[in-house]
């Protein structure tokens, strides 16, 4: 006997776990120091590189659902000794501080091994270095906004 099976929408936890697996296998989490500003926090970076565009499309869908700003581009391997890809490689990169913090807090439950350690390290650094916002002043008379 054949029964019709309805297509079900995966729960959020399953999709987040799937994204954590993709980042664990195909991604990198890092803080890269700027030589010109050694005292600064550095550039936060979460990148996923892959040749399977269906995987990257699904990653994009998940990031959009959580309002995470990302950049997708063609990845060019600049290492002359490294792996030479015969298929076009694309990357999704997240660099905004707030977005990195949001996605790592969501993924942290499902990450394992080195990626979980790096994620916790990045979150600890973000907590130790709170965002410094300049005060914004508004002139009631001329209706202009000034930052401190």
């Amino acid at each position: 006997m054949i029964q019709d099976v309805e297509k079900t929408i995966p729960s959020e936890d399953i999709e987040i776990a799937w994204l954590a697996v993709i980042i664990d296998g195909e991604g990198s989490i890092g803080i890269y120091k700027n030589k010109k500003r050694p005292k600064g926090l550095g550039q936060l970076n979460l990148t996923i590189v892959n040749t399977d565009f269906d995987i990257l499309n699904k990653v994009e869908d998940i990031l959009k659902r959580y309002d995470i700003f990302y950049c997708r581009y063609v990845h060019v391997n600049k290492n002359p000794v490294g792996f030479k890809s015969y298929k076009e490689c694309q990357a999704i990169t997240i660099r905004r501080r707030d977005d990195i913090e949001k996605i790592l807090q969501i993924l942290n439950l499902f990450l394992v091994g080195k990626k979980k350690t790096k994620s916790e390290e990045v979150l600890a650094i973000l907590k130790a270095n709170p965002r410094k916002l300049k005060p914004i002043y508004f002139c009631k008379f001329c209706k202009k906004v000034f930052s401190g």
Side-chain angles (χ1 to χ4, degrees):
M1 181 191 292
I2 298 175
Q3 293 180 345
D4 288 334
V5 179
E6 290 183 31
K7 185 176 179 181
T8 59
I9 299 171
S11 73
E12 285 184 26
D13 283 351
I14 292 172
E15 285 190 332
I16 294 301
W18 178 86
L19 182 58
V21 168
I22 294 299
I23 290 172
D24 190 45
E26 304 291 332
S28 66
I29 301 169
I31 298 178
Y32 303 98
K33 295 291 182 181
N34 187 343
K35 293 178 184 176
K36 295 178 183 176
R37 295 173 46 196
K39 291 184 181 181
L41 178 61
Q43 176 64 57
L44 301 167
N45 195 7
L46 188 150
T47 303
I48 301 166
V49 179
N50 208 307
T51 57
D52 187 344
F53 299 156
D54 292 335
I55 289 175
L56 295 176
N57 290 338
K58 186 170 181 180
V59 169
E60 277 186 322
D61 291 340
I62 295 169
L63 295 176
K64 285 177 186 174
R65 204 166 309 122
Y66 285 93
D67 292 325
I68 304 290
F69 182 81
Y70 63 90
C71 178
R72 184 170 177 173
Y73 56 93
V74 175
H75 178 72
V76 179
N77 188 1
K78 296 177 184 172
N79 185 356
V81 183
F83 174 75
K84 179 164 173 61
S85 177
Y86 294 99
K87 289 175 120 184
E88 183 178 305
C89 228
Q90 290 193 2
I92 292 178
T93 299
I94 304 168
R95 289 201 175 125
R96 287 185 179 175
R97 177 192 173 110
D98 295 341
D99 293 330
I100 292 269
E101 189 171 13
K102 184 192 294 186
I103 196 69
L104 289 182
Q105 286 174 344
I106 293 168
L107 292 171
N108 211 20
L109 180 64
F110 300 103
L111 289 172
V112 294
K114 291 180 182 179
K115 294 294 190 318
K116 183 171 184 84
T117 305
K118 193 63 168 181
S119 169
E120 290 170 348
E121 179 186 330
V122 168
L123 288 171
I125 289 171
L126 289 174
K127 188 174 182 181
N129 297 290
R131 180 180 282 263
K132 297 174 185 164
L133 297 175
K134 296 179 180 178
I136 296 176
Y137 304 103
F138 180 73
C139 177
K140 294 178 186 176
F141 302 108
C142 64
K143 309 274 193 257
K144 288 187 179 179
V145 176
F146 302 94
S147 61

